[in-house]
Amino acid sequence: MAKTIVVKQIGSPIRRPDIQRQTLIGLGLNKMHKTRELEDTPSIRGMVAKIPHLVEIIEERG
């Protein structure tokens, strides 16, 4: 079974650069307090690292 992480959106993309909005959409997040369970890959970790003020890792599974 692959490792997964649970990511939660904690910040609004309003008044943020477009690239940060696109990163949120790429993670499957678009509304406040929404969570997603994603595969724990370097690309996903990189996306989360680009917008640490908008998302947080809630849990690591696997």
Side-chain angles (χ1 to χ4, degrees):
M1 185 166 139
K3 289 186 178 181
T4 61
I5 56 173
V6 178
V7 179
K8 179 179 181 180
Q9 182 176 344
I10 58 169
S12 173
I14 295 173
R15 297 185 63 190
R16 301 288 180 191
D18 192 46
I19 191 71
Q20 292 180 4
R21 290 175 189 247
Q22 291 173 356
T23 303
L24 274 176
I25 292 169
L27 289 170
L29 300 170
N30 61 353
K31 295 184 192 253
M32 290 289 292
H33 309 293
K34 187 174 178 184
T35 60
R36 285 287 312 257
E37 185 172 351
L38 303 166
E39 248 186 283
D40 190 6
T41 62
S43 61
I44 297 294
R45 288 282 184 164
M47 292 170 79
V48 170
K50 285 283 187 179
I51 52 171
H53 54 289
L54 298 178
V55 298
E56 69 179 354
I57 296 176
I58 300 289
E59 182 179 353
E60 298 183 23
R61 298 181 183 162

